[in-house]
Amino acid sequence: MKGMHWMAAAAVAVAVSASPVTAQDYPSEPIRIIVPAGAGGGTDVLVRTLQPHLEESLGTSIVVVNVPGSGTVGGSRRAYEAEPDGYTVLANHVTLLTAMALDKADFRHTDFELAATAVEIPLVVVVPSSSPHESLDSLLEAARGDDPVIAGVNLGAVNHFSMLMIEAQGDGAAFRYVQTGGGAATTAALLGEQIDVGVLAGSEALPITQSGEVRVIAA
């Protein structure tokens, strides 16, 4: 049976628990934090923001390992399969739970041990700056029409569930969902005007909102 693992991240988190390592010896080598998403996304930005502070506090190097794909399942599995020695940490959030709910994961949250909840991240609904929609009401009105409104999401992940929650309150609104991926990939699709709407973490949306490349219409 696998040892317990710690996890620490955006909304919820877990990491590998130290078994044979004694408190006075730890840490004696670099600690790897697995981000189960690509570089530049919300979780990656969070971990890299915390990285220098963790290094100063723990007195060792922190290595960020990006493992994108599979709705965070691939990276989460790598942490699950690691030696439970305290040197491999998973940074994840509610997407871990949605992957389990959709039977995409062959492990459970009980296979991990919560080390810390780092932060709660606000999510924002974003459209390209060229979009005719200035508000969520306008977007939902269009989604009730005949022309498809394309929402870029990571299927089964938090941005997908966020759009489904909005759709459920839209009085007949229906989006057409396409697989873009996590925050970095969805940002690229928004900037390339390949999708009509996406959901980003506030930290992801801030710079491209300030530059005028996208418009936030809801939080």
Side-chain angles (χ1 to χ4, degrees):
M1 187 173 181
K2 288 286 178 184
M4 294 292 287
H5 293 65
W6 305 342
M7 170 172 124
V12 150
V14 213
V16 202
S17 68
S19 18
V21 182
T22 62
Q24 54 266 42
D25 295 333
Y26 181 85
S28 60
E29 61 182 78
I31 296 171
R32 297 169 298 281
I33 299 183
I34 294 177
V35 175
T43 305
D44 181 68
V45 170
L46 168 64
V47 171
R48 294 182 189 276
T49 301
L50 295 175
Q51 185 178 12
H53 305 288
L54 290 171
E55 289 179 332
E56 181 179 359
S57 176
L58 294 170
T60 192
S61 298
I62 301 293
V63 180
V64 180
V65 181
N66 292 94
V67 186
S70 309
T72 80
V73 173
S76 299
R77 182 181 289 109
R78 182 178 295 192
Y80 167 69
E81 293 175 346
E83 286 295 321
D85 56 7
Y87 291 98
T88 303
V89 178
L90 171 66
N92 207 344
H93 45 71
V94 70
T95 300
L96 178 66
L97 302 180
T98 59
M100 293 188 304
L102 295 171
D103 289 328
K104 289 185 175 182
D106 54 359
F107 45 80
R108 290 292 177 263
H109 66 284
T110 50
D111 294 315
F112 298 86
E113 183 172 300
L114 181 66
T117 299
V119 69
E120 293 182 0
I121 297 178
L123 299 177
V124 291
V125 181
V126 181
V127 297
S129 57
S130 60
S131 171
H133 305 300
E134 299 280 349
S135 68
L136 188 59
D137 286 341
S138 171
L139 183 74
L140 289 171
E141 181 63 32
R144 287 189 285 267
D146 295 329
D147 294 329
V149 175
I150 300 173
V153 300
N154 192 10
L155 295 172
V158 65
N159 57 4
H160 183 198
F161 277 77
S162 298
M163 289 303 301
L164 287 171
M165 291 168 66
I166 292 169
E167 183 181 272
Q169 299 180 58
D171 191 24
F175 297 106
R176 177 176 293 178
Y177 295 100
V178 298
Q179 173 72 19
T180 51
T186 299
T187 296
L190 284 163
L191 296 181
E193 300 184 2
Q194 298 162 345
I195 57 176
D196 297 313
V197 61
V199 172
L200 299 177
S203 58
E204 296 167 328
L206 182 61
I208 54 176
T209 302
Q210 291 176 329
S211 68
E213 296 171 281
V214 301
R215 182 185 308 124
V216 173
I217 60 171

